[in-house]
């Protein structure tokens, strides 16, 4: 008798909700990297790989999903870096943007739109219009603050140009945002402040700037958080910020780099780049819509009920994405819908320490990808992804994990399965008729893996860490099942066991596709499948499962052909 099938949507309702959204477009956004350097593996482990995995999963479920990001061209960290390497800021931006793009491509991170704000026909114009409208409607106000000023550099200090101790948690902090606790500062309130260029103690000069009164939108934020999805750490940050009182947030700075603020009386000031990211996201959506033949204004996109936004970012950007940006849109137009789901990551460390380019304590993404296959890098960064706490990369653990899980685990099982199929099955694998209790239990266990994998790929419960462990457990369970069934004397039951192992291999191909697309495609084709692996292919697993497999083409004996020895 054929075993009963589980309905995954009964076990895991989020998968059902995803299918209910099939008529919508889902735009998955990753926080923009600053083009003041290439991407190291800490960058890749966070929003960029995470968003790519989620988009691939959505496409497998038949959802119209798009991945967009862009470079943050107007941050002060860019001219700060340009001074160090003796290049102009535009030259620096172009150089590192090219490197970032190449690294993303090498990691097979497929972004539908990587916006270039300095050259975009949308970005600068939309950002300026956004803040002009807020100012004209009285949503911004002037405040004169005691600005940190370096007499030696003849510069007002903010963001990249100043460092000190955070007024909230006492950790070392740069200007405006503390990476440790996620709370903002206004630079003048940094303790023990120093110029980050010449190390001098700054003086103080009064400087009128424009501010956004966050506290006026406290109730709207509280209402928004009732439906927004976020993890406990980000929830705690929002609750603490609301409990202690939301600050006035600066939206302008006196600087020679950035988007000019077109407001009388503030000549020479630029729009603070962090605040500009909010309208910049909407400008990118408008640009992407134009590319995919769905032209709408950014206001129309923001108000559209057939658009859903999932936002990926590091926790250190939590205040901006979960508090400032929604409040800015509430002020601009309350009908604009903020993201439905926030997916955050913590810091990824290297040998127990923070990544540091100045101390050369870094592994660049392109360097690792030049030595091992993208699949292998994507697997390990997913396996160790810093989801709820900081995690750590070590080269020794990277080698050990890849050898243990992929080479000794997945590849060993699939090679043994290939030998078994060659010896015992000629032609297409037959329809299964005879089942033992152990075979029925194994089949139902495979269904459980599929349900659990769906949960790991969904935005609300997103966890590549969990997904990779499910894949490894699937391979171990299938290998144990095959070993136990090898002693079965009944030919019909043995053929059933082989068919079930091949079904497990098909499951591994489909479930690993969001994380390891090359491996999944090779395995998929080796099992005799000719259809595309991505769009809509999840239906091959849920809810009906075809156990009549095609004639297999042969499982590649080297499933990781680009894998090289890591002796350096």
């Amino acid at each position: 008798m054929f075993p009963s099938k589980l309905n995954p949507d009964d076990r895991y309702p989020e998968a059902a909700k995803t299918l209910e959204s099939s008529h919508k477009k889902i735009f998955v956004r990753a926080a923009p990297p600053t083009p003041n350097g290439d991407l190291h593996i800490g960058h890749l482990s966070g929003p960029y790989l995470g968003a790519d995995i989620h988009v691939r999963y959505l496409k497998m479920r038949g959802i119209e999903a798009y991945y967009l990001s862009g470079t943050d061209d107007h941050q002060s960290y860019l001219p700060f870096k340009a001074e160090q390497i003796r290049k102009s800021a535009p030259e620096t931006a172009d150089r590192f943007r090219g490197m970032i793009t190449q690294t993303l491509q090498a990691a097979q991170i497929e972004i539908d739109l990587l916006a270039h704000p300095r050259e975009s026909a949308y970005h600068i114009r939309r950002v300026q219009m956004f803040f002009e409208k807020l100012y004209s409607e009285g949503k911004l106000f002037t405040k004169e603050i005691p600005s940190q000023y370096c007499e030696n550099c003849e510069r007002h200090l903010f963001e990249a140009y100043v460092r000190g101790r955070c007024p909230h948690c006492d950790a070392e902090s740069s200007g405006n945002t503390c990476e440790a606790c996620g709370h903002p500062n206004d630079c003048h309130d940094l303790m023990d402040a120093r110029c980050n260029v010449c190390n001098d103690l700054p003086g103080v000069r009064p400087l009128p700037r424009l501010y956004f009164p966050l506290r006026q939108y406290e109730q709207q934020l509280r209402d928004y958080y009732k439906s927004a999805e976020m993890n406990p750490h980000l929830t705690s940050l929002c609750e603490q910020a609301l409990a202690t009182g939301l600050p006035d947030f600066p939206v302008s700075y006196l600087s020679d780099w950035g988007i000019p603020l077109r407001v009388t009386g503030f000549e020479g000031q630029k729009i603070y780049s962090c605040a500009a990211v909010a309208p910049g996201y909407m400008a990118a959506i408008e640009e992407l819509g134009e590319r995919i033949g769905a032209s709408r204004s950014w206001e129309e996109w923001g108000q559209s009920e057939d658009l859903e936004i999932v936002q990926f970012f590091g926790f250190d950007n939590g205040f901006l994405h979960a508090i400032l940006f929604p409040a800015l849109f509430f002020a601009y137009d309350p009908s604009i819908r903020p993201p439905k789901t926030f997916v955050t990551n913590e810091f990824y460390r290297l040998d127990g320490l923070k990544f540091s380019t100045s101390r050369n304590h870094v592994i660049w993404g392109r360097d690792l990808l030049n030595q091992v296959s993208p699949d292998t890098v994507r697997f390990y960064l997913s396996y160790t992804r810093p989801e709820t706490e900081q995690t750590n990369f070590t080269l020794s653990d990277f080698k050990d994990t890849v050898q243990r899980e992929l080479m000794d685990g997945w590849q060993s099982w699939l090679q043994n399965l290939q030998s078994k199929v060659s010896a015992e099955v000629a032609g297409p694998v037959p329809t299964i008729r005879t089942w033992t209790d152990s075979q029925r239990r194994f089949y139902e266990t495979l269904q459980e893996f599929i349900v659990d994998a769906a949960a790991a790929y969904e935005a609300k419960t997103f966890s590549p860490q969990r997904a990779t462990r499910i894949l490894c457990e699937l391979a171990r369970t299938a290998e144990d099942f095959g070993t136990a069934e090898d002693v079965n004397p009944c030919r019909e039951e043995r053929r059933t066991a082989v068919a079930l192992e091949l079904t497990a291999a098909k499951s591994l191909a489909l479930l690993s596709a969001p994380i390891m697309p090359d491996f999944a495609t090779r395995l998929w084709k080796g099992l005799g499948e000719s259809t595309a692996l991505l769009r809509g292919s999840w239906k091959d697993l849920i809810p009906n499962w075809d156990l009549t497999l095609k004639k297999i083409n042969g499982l590649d004996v080297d499933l990781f052909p680009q894998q090289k020895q890591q002796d350096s």
Side-chain angles (χ1 to χ4, degrees):
M1 180 179 177
F2 196 81
S4 60
K5 294 183 176 66
L6 300 176
N7 184 345
D9 295 342
D10 291 341
R11 161 85 181 276
Y12 187 67
E14 291 306 315
K17 291 179 182 178
T18 296
L19 294 177
E20 289 171 3
S21 301
S22 60
H23 67 286
K24 296 183 177 182
K25 291 179 175 62
I26 297 183
F27 284 178
V28 180
R29 305 188 311 209
T34 304
N36 65 336
D38 199 356
L39 299 178
H40 55 62
I41 59 173
H43 294 130
L44 293 179
S45 72
Y48 307 114
L49 178 57
D52 181 76
I53 291 169
H54 183 56
V55 169
R56 289 176 184 271
Y57 164 74
L58 291 175
K59 289 180 178 178
M60 289 182 71
R61 296 206 67 128
I63 308 298
E64 186 177 358
Y66 299 92
Y67 183 177
L68 68 156
S69 187
T71 50
D72 193 354
D73 291 359
H74 297 104
Q75 264 198 13
S76 63
Y77 290 95
L78 200 150
F80 181 80
K81 180 67 174 182
E83 291 179 32
Q84 293 178 328
I85 63 175
R86 301 182 185 278
K87 299 285 186 180
S88 71
E91 287 176 325
T92 302
D94 292 341
R95 172 189 174 186
F96 288 117
R97 174 186 167 83
M99 295 175 70
I100 288 169
T101 301
Q102 291 171 5
T103 298
L104 291 170
Q105 291 172 346
Q108 296 193 346
I109 294 172
E110 299 179 352
I111 300 181
D112 296 287
L113 174 68
L114 186 65
H116 191 174
R118 291 187 302 112
E119 296 182 1
S120 169
Y122 302 87
H123 185 91
I124 293 177
R125 178 166 55 93
R126 290 303 192 189
V127 169
Q128 289 177 325
M129 290 171 57
F130 185 90
F131 287 100
E132 287 170 12
K133 181 176 184 289
L134 291 182
Y135 181 78
S136 67
E137 294 178 353
K139 306 293 179 59
L140 305 177
F141 70 97
T142 304
K143 182 164 69 171
E144 186 171 275
I145 57 95
S147 175
Q148 304 270 21
Y149 187 85
C150 179
E151 297 289 348
N152 185 44
C153 297
E154 297 182 332
R155 175 189 286 129
H156 284 274
L157 303 182
F158 68 101
E159 204 171 52
Y161 293 103
V162 64
R163 69 180 188 276
R165 290 188 293 114
C166 174
H168 303 285
C169 71
D170 202 39
E172 290 186 9
S173 176
S174 58
N176 295 100
T177 301
C178 176
E179 290 184 344
C181 69
H183 287 277
N185 61 73
D186 203 4
C187 300
H188 69 85
D189 52 352
L190 284 173
M191 298 178 287
D192 301 328
R194 292 269 183 177
C195 174
N196 213 18
V197 176
C198 68
N199 202 40
D200 273 6
L201 289 170
V204 173
R205 289 191 180 185
L207 177 68
R209 290 189 289 153
L210 283 183
Y211 280 77
F212 178 64
L214 269 171
R215 64 174 61 86
Q216 293 184 14
Y217 304 91
E218 178 181 325
Q219 189 56 52
Q220 288 166 280
L221 287 168
R222 291 185 184 277
D223 293 340
Y224 169 52
Y225 296 151
K226 293 176 183 177
S227 59
E229 300 289 353
M230 62 181 76
N231 71 10
H233 196 185
L234 185 59
T235 298
S236 176
L237 173 67
C238 295
E239 290 176 347
Q240 289 176 18
L242 290 169
T244 57
L246 297 177
D248 297 328
F249 196 91
V251 299
S252 74
Y253 275 99
L254 186 61
S255 175
D256 57 3
W257 179 258
I259 300 176
L261 178 66
R262 300 187 305 192
V263 173
T264 302
F266 292 89
E267 290 77 13
Q269 294 204 23
K270 305 297 190 293
I271 298 169
Y272 179 32
S273 63
C274 286
V277 170
Y281 275 139
M282 295 307 296
I285 286 177
E286 188 174 12
E287 183 175 350
L288 178 60
E290 192 81 28
R291 290 192 183 185
I292 64 176
S295 181
R296 301 179 187 176
S297 72
W298 71 334
E299 290 88 354
E300 290 173 325
W301 276 116
Q303 298 161 1
S304 174
E305 293 187 358
D306 65 356
L307 172 67
E308 188 173 301
I309 296 173
V310 179
Q311 181 71 57
F312 282 72
F313 56 92
F315 176 77
D316 55 320
N317 286 318
F319 188 94
L320 300 176
H321 284 88
I323 297 175
L324 176 64
F325 296 170
L328 283 170
F329 283 117
F330 295 150
Y332 180 85
D333 182 350
S335 64
I336 291 179
R337 297 149 56 93
K340 176 183 177 182
T341 308
F342 295 118
V343 182
T344 62
N345 59 271
E346 305 292 331
F347 280 118
Y348 199 46
R349 292 185 172 268
L350 174 61
D351 295 328
L353 300 173
K354 183 180 176 181
F355 280 81
S356 173
T357 56
S358 63
R359 292 185 287 105
N360 198 32
H361 186 70
V362 66
I363 295 179
W364 298 109
R366 64 174 57 226
D367 290 343
L368 187 59
L369 290 161
N370 282 336
Q371 298 179 59
V372 295
S373 71
D375 278 340
T376 307
V377 174
R378 290 170 64 103
F379 171 84
Y380 185 76
L381 294 184
S382 297
Y383 193 88
T384 57
R385 188 174 190 267
E387 296 173 352
T388 58
E389 61 183 1
Q390 296 183 10
T391 54
N392 190 44
F393 180 98
T394 68
L395 195 55
S396 60
D397 186 66
F398 173 76
K399 294 177 184 178
D400 292 346
T401 301
V402 169
Q403 184 66 43
R404 180 184 68 250
E405 301 294 351
L406 299 185
M407 310 306 289
D408 297 341
W410 301 18
Q411 182 160 292
S412 176
W413 162 53
L414 291 170
Q415 287 175 340
N416 290 336
L417 177 57
Q418 168 66 61
S419 299
K420 191 182 305 184
V421 169
S422 299
E424 299 193 22
V425 178
V429 179
T431 301
I432 297 172
R433 295 187 179 89
T434 304
W435 294 77
T436 65
D437 288 342
S438 63
Q439 290 169 347
R440 183 176 293 104
R441 286 193 299 270
F442 177 69
Y443 174 72
E444 291 172 350
T445 298
L446 290 180
Q447 293 185 358
E448 293 282 349
F449 283 133
I450 294 168
V451 174
D452 290 342
Y457 289 134
E458 287 288 335
K460 181 180 178 180
T461 48
F462 187 73
S463 176
Q465 259 200 41
R466 175 64 180 147
T468 51
R469 282 155 178 78
I470 291 168
L471 298 174
C472 293
E473 185 62 25
L474 188 160
R476 280 190 287 271
T477 301
E479 184 174 34
D480 290 345
F481 169 79
T483 300
E485 291 289 327
D486 284 347
V487 298
N488 193 329
C490 175
R491 175 171 174 76
E492 187 66 25
E493 291 176 359
R494 283 176 63 85
R495 289 169 66 85
T496 297
V498 172
L500 283 168
E501 267 198 89
L502 287 168
T503 301
K506 179 182 179 181
S507 303
L508 182 64
L510 282 157
L511 297 181
S512 66
I515 294 175
M516 307 170 70
D518 280 352
F519 161 80
T521 298
R522 288 196 299 275
L523 181 55
W524 184 248
K525 290 181 178 178
L527 290 165
E529 298 289 348
S530 58
T531 58
L533 185 59
L534 276 182
R535 186 162 294 281
S537 56
W538 200 267
K539 68 180 183 296
D540 289 332
L541 291 174
I542 300 176
N544 295 314
W545 212 349
D546 181 12
L547 286 173
T548 307
L549 301 179
K550 300 175 177 63
K551 182 177 181 179
I552 67 173
N553 298 323
L555 306 182
D556 193 340
V557 295
D558 185 5
L559 290 168
F560 306 98
Q562 299 178 50
Q563 179 70 28
K564 300 177 182 178
Q565 292 299 317
Q566 299 287 297
D567 297 327
S568 58

